[in-house]
Amino acid sequence: MKEDIDNAVAETRTVLEQIHALAPNATISLMGYPLLFSRTQACSTLVSASQRVILNDMAEYFESKQRELALSMSASNVRYRSPQAAFEGKRICDSPEGINGVVAGPNGDGDFHFHHGDKNTQLCWLFTGDTCLSRESYHPNQTGTSAYAQAFMTASPLSAATRQGR
């Protein structure tokens, strides 16, 4: 997973460099991802407790790599914004949840579809009929999008704590 994260960060660097080249005077905010699962509330999900720890650890790793990227590009006006504080108490297993857990959806636009021979058909095996895993799974819901907006509006880009990696 770390290799995938490192590759995503490298691709993000390329995009940020392209944005800076096209808008050299712009301040670019790089918004991070929140931890998916509550660290304080236990709940029953399709993801085991040990898997939830691994996924949260990977989210922290991703955040550290994004933060490092923003710091390395600070001369290009790239600033990192962490959503962690805004999502505190709003992760999967918290109440209210700001991130969807597993969401089942009908075969519709944007969702996975059941077709014999389709590699995404495996995303329908948990459900019956014409219901498959929705792409809304593990993404912010209305509470979560509000938390992202709060993080963006209140975060101090590249604050002293960000510079020192706290």
Side-chain angles (χ1 to χ4, degrees), residues 101-105 110-112 123 127 132-139:
V102 172
V103 176
D111 286 323
F112 296 102
L123 300 171
F127 310 104
C132 295
L133 183 68
S134 171
R135 284 189 165 99
E136 292 180 19
S137 300
Y138 303 106
H139 283 83

Side-chain angles (χ1 to χ4, degrees), residues 12-24:
T12 301
R13 174 182 288 282
T14 300
V15 171
L16 294 172
E17 288 169 345
Q18 291 169 347
I19 293 169
H20 179 68
L22 293 171

Side-chain angles (χ1 to χ4, degrees), residues 65-124:
K65 292 299 183 178
Q66 287 180 312
R67 188 181 303 273
E68 288 173 16
L69 173 60
L71 284 170
S72 73
M73 296 186 71
S74 63
S76 298
N77 293 325
V78 175
R79 306 293 183 255
Y80 182 74
R81 292 179 183 263
S82 175
Q84 300 309 337
F87 273 89
E88 203 57 51
K90 297 179 187 79
R91 296 182 174 95
I92 297 171
C93 302
D94 287 326
S95 182
E97 290 184 340
I99 302 171
N100 293 321
V102 172
V103 176
N107 282 332
D109 291 338
D111 286 323
F112 296 102
H113 305 278
F114 183 83
H115 299 290
H116 292 286
D118 183 351
K119 67 179 182 174
N120 290 325
T121 296
Q122 64 197 10
L123 300 171
C124 301

Side-chain angles (χ1 to χ4, degrees), residues 18-36:
Q18 291 169 347
I19 293 169
H20 179 68
L22 293 171
N25 296 321
T27 297
I28 304 167
S29 292
L30 177 59
M31 179 64 78
Y33 290 91
L35 301 181
L36 292 175

